[in-house]
Amino acid sequence: MVANRSRVELARLREEFRARADQAFDQMFGSDGQNGLVTFTEREDRACEATDRLARWLMEEHLALDPAADPGVEVDCPICGRPVRYDSPEEAELEIREFHTRRGQVEYERAARRCPHCRKIFFPVGCASESGDGRLQSAAAGED
Ligand SMILES: [Zn+2]
């Protein structure tokens, strides 16, 4: 389940994406249409760097939609199954996680919960979860 972002927030995100895409274009073409790139390897390296940077930004922004990143959402304790709810998001401890992706390192902030019944700290499972090697995986089976 993915939390919805407001239209205003999405419009702001779209503008930021376009500005970043413009930067990627300029890194490739510059003002002379070539930006000092001569060999195929130079062109490939520059194109991959620019688009990898865009891909990482897209992943980070999309991960921010993950319900696990929202400390205000009520979740069930994975140990006792009882609901855990914080009256204010400030009660939740935020942890920054780093993930290795095919496009490089991305960061993801998620909120920890402490169950008042069994006193354990846990991280809710959202759309994205991580495997033992720190790579992001989809929580849905069969999805890549
Ligand atoms: Zn519990």
Side-chain angles (χ1 to χ4, degrees), residues 77-82 84 115-120 122:
C77 170
I79 296 135
C80 69
R82 291 193 230 180
V84 177
C115 176
H117 308 288
C118 55
R119 298 177 178 274
K120 299 280 189 214
F122 66 94

Side-chain angles (χ1 to χ4, degrees), residues 30-102:
S31 56
D32 62 353
Q34 202 148 356
N35 208 19
L37 302 172
V38 177
T39 67
F40 181 83
T41 301
E42 288 171 344
R43 295 166 207 228
E44 181 186 22
D45 287 349
R46 185 74 54 84
C48 289
E49 284 168 24
T51 54
D52 284 356
R53 196 172 302 118
L54 269 180
R56 289 193 303 270
W57 181 83
L58 284 169
M59 283 187 271
E60 287 177 345
E61 291 300 324
H62 207 275
L63 281 166
L65 293 173
D66 194 303
D70 184 354
V73 172
E74 180 179 296
V75 291
D76 292 336
C77 170
I79 296 135
C80 69
R82 291 193 230 180
V84 177
R85 176 178 199 82
Y86 289 148
D87 292 329
S88 103
E90 287 73 37
E91 292 176 57
E93 227 178 273
L94 294 175
E95 182 191 70
I96 293 177
R97 305 285 301 177
E98 289 183 342
F99 294 109
H100 305 285
T101 73
R102 284 172 290 172

Side-chain angles (χ1 to χ4, degrees), residues 2-3 16-17 34 47 49 55 68 104 107-108 112 115 119 121 134:
V2 172
E16 190 176 339
F17 175 76
Q34 202 148 356
E49 284 168 24
E107 287 187 351
Y108 168 51
C115 176
R119 298 177 178 274
I121 291 176

